[in-house]
Amino acid sequence: MSGSFITDDLTVFFDPEEFADDGMLGWDPVVGQFHEAYELASVGAYGMATTAPSFALASTSVPANVVGMAFDRAGIRYTVRGTEPGSSGVTVLVLEVA
């Protein structure tokens, strides 16, 4: 058994016919899973709602200096603001609408 809870074969998660989405990271096409989670934050007595877009992809598809790169998906341009590397072979790109 592998050291991670995800099997070593991640292809099903990155198959456009199954769960995956297409995108462009810089000039390179990538396949992964796009998420746009809803977030509600408290600001004093008030609340503020926003979304937190992210794109999870195989760590082997992520270049060394990805922060600041353009990411395009479905006609919307984002900027990579950070990464959340995981031990399971998947990296999450933290995105911001450009």
Side-chain angles (χ1 to χ4, degrees):
M1 179 173 203
S2 161
S4 76
F5 66 93
I6 297 177
T7 63
D8 292 334
D9 184 10
L10 300 173
T11 55
V12 68
F13 296 105
F14 301 122
D15 181 354
E17 303 271 332
E18 296 289 332
F19 304 107
D21 301 297
D22 295 319
M24 293 291 289
L25 183 56
W27 298 104
D28 297 319
V30 290
V31 177
Q33 294 182 358
F34 181 80
H35 302 278
E36 193 162 27
Y38 175 81
E39 288 190 356
L40 181 62
S42 295
V43 181
Y46 303 97
M48 181 185 311
T50 188
T51 57
S54 63
F55 192 77
L57 68 165
S59 297
T60 57
S61 299
V62 180
N65 298 316
V66 69
V67 174
M69 287 183 73
F71 177 82
D72 293 289
R73 181 189 167 274
I76 300 173
R77 176 160 282 199
Y78 301 88
T79 302
V80 178
R81 291 294 174 210
T83 62
E84 297 175 5
S87 61
S88 61
V90 176
T91 296
V92 176
L93 304 179
V94 179
L95 306 172
E96 179 179 89
V97 176

